[in-house]
């Protein structure tokens, strides 16, 4: 299958299949593939769950987390575009104040998709930017605030403290917020993605995952490990660099795609 599903997951799937086929000594490769497919699909479906809604009239706060380079900014723009097509008014919150380039990048995308940005100078307190963004969203009748956050790995404890503070501020300003904490994962990083997901899940909590760069050769078997081990739903997948290249995650289509190449 060559899909980077992960050792632990693979072993468990094999064990389950062994249990289910006890007594059937001769299975065709087609039957085996079918059993594996069903097992993987069941794992994805188990982790699935509906996205949370915000209270009537309150801004919907979406915190976007993930390490640098995974496609966070691009995905934020794609998400905004989806919301806007559904008639929502979207505002970006530039809380990755660690890199000036991150603020510029978000600005460029905001202009492209046609939504507003709340930002401060590089080095500003990310939670203070979020506070401003929430106030602006109320004043401007914004429905959805998408919050970009820093993704540096080398100063993990600071980063996690920052994210926790942002969550506190969001909850204080809007009951139930943040309504979503979405982790962006790059499909090409393979099992390292699982390590990242564990880390973010432990410190910030996660309501969903978006897997990017599934248009390349990576098959993203990592999503199965995430769904099985961490029980986090996969919400969307990124399949290109353009604004419309974000698809809703469909377990059946995804599992089938893992089997596209012939089994040797
Ligand atoms: P960030 O550092 O996490 O904010 O990452 P960016 O949004 O700047 O994206 C990093 C690179 O990945 C850019 O060249 C994007 O065009 C590219 N990228 C993002 N999402 C996808 C995707 O789904 N498919 C492909 N092929 N490239 C992507």
């Amino acid at each position: 299958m060559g899909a980077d599903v992960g050792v632990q997951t693979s072993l468990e799937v094999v064990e389950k299949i062994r249990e289910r086929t006890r007594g059937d000594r001769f299975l065709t490769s087609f039957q085996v593939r079918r059993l594996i497919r069903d097992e993987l699909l069941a794992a994805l479906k188990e982790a699935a769950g509906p996205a949370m809604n915000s209270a009537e009239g309150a801004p919907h706060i979406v915190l976007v987390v993930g390490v640098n380079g995974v496609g966070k900014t691009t995905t934020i723009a794609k998400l905004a575009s989806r919301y806007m097509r559904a008639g929502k008014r979207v505002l970006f919150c530039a809380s990755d104040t660690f890199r000036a380039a991150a603020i510029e990048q978000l600005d460029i995308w905001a202009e492209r998709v046609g939504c507003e940005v709340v930002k401060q100078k590089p080095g500003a307190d990310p939670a203070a930017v979020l506070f401003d963004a929430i106030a602006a969203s109320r004043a401007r009748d914004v429905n959805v605030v998408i919050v970009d956050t820093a993704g540096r790995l080398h100063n993990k404890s600071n980063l996690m403290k920052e994210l926790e503070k942002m969550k506190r501020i969001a909850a204080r300003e809007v009951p139930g917020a943040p309504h979503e904490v979405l982790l962006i994962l790059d499909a090409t990083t393979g099992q390292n993605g699982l390590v990242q997901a564990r880390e973010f899940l432990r410190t910030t909590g996660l309501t969903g995952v978006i897997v990017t760069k599934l248009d390349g050769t990576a098959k993203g078997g990592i999503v199965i490990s995430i769904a099985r081990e961490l029980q986090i739903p996969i919400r969307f997948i990124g399949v290109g660099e353009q604004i419309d290249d974000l698809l809703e995650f469909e377990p059946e289509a995804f599992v089938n795609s893992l089997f596209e190449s012939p089994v040797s």
Side-chain angles (χ1 to χ4, degrees):
M1 181 156 66
D4 198 14
V5 169
V7 177
Q8 187 61 26
T9 297
S10 305
L11 289 176
E12 285 175 24
V13 168
V14 167
E15 189 47 43
K16 279 219 167 144
I17 289 171
R18 196 172 281 151
E19 276 166 26
R20 281 176 55 180
T21 57
R22 207 154 272 163
D24 294 337
R25 290 186 50 208
F26 302 106
L27 289 172
T28 64
S29 77
F30 177 79
Q31 285 171 314
V32 171
R33 275 162 67 133
R34 199 150 189 116
L35 284 167
I36 296 174
R37 202 195 79 102
D38 291 351
E39 241 356 282
L40 299 182
L41 194 55
L44 289 175
K45 286 192 165 164
E46 227 168 79
M52 222 188 293
N53 284 323
S54 41
E56 188 69 31
H60 188 71
I61 315 284
V62 183
L63 219 58
V64 181
V65 302
V67 306
N68 289 334
V70 292
K72 201 156 20 120
T73 323
T74 315
T75 305
I76 286 173
K78 292 174 179 175
L79 273 176
S81 168
R82 272 188 91 88
Y83 277 119
M84 290 166 78
R85 269 181 277 140
K88 307 282 186 200
R89 204 161 161 181
V90 178
L91 182 132
F92 288 161
C93 170
S95 280
D96 181 357
T97 57
F98 192 68
R99 297 178 305 155
I103 303 175
E104 282 161 27
Q105 236 355 72
L106 199 65
D107 241 346
I108 294 170
W109 273 115
E111 200 154 305
R112 268 189 221 158
V113 295
C115 67
E116 297 162 79
V117 195
V118 166
K119 59 184 174 184
Q120 288 184 16
K121 289 201 178 68
D125 178 358
V129 188
L130 176 58
F131 180 86
D132 280 0
I134 292 173
S137 73
R138 290 219 161 93
R140 301 178 205 171
D141 260 340
V142 162
N143 311 104
V144 184
V145 179
I146 307 182
V147 189
D148 186 22
T149 64
R152 57 191 184 278
L153 264 184
H154 60 273
N155 196 346
K156 240 184 268 176
S157 76
N158 259 355
L159 170 64
M160 296 304 176
K161 269 191 210 128
E162 235 170 64
L163 291 170
E164 276 165 20
K165 185 170 170 194
M166 290 170 77
K167 282 186 75 175
R168 273 204 313 277
I169 296 286
R172 197 186 70 196
E173 296 304 311
V174 183
H179 305 92
E180 293 181 70
V181 182
L182 297 177
L183 173 70
I184 313 299
L185 276 186
D186 178 339
T188 63
T189 58
Q191 290 298 312
N192 189 33
L194 189 61
V195 178
Q196 291 168 25
R198 269 196 211 113
E199 193 108 18
F200 278 103
L201 181 64
R202 198 174 57 234
T203 45
T204 67
L206 296 171
T207 63
V209 174
I210 299 180
V211 183
T212 61
K213 309 187 193 180
L214 273 171
D215 47 313
T217 48
K219 290 195 161 213
I222 180 67
V223 306
I224 303 213
S225 307
I226 287 169
R228 293 189 83 242
E229 258 195 56
L230 309 176
Q231 294 281 302
I232 312 169
I234 314 295
R235 295 253 177 259
F236 296 99
I237 55 172
V239 292
E241 300 185 79
Q242 304 305 314
I243 198 77
D244 292 330
D245 295 331
L246 185 74
L247 307 177
E248 230 157 282
F249 179 67
E250 288 174 13
E252 278 92 357
F254 178 77
V255 172
N256 285 339
S257 78
L258 293 178
F259 288 92
E260 255 165 31
S261 53
V263 174
S264 52

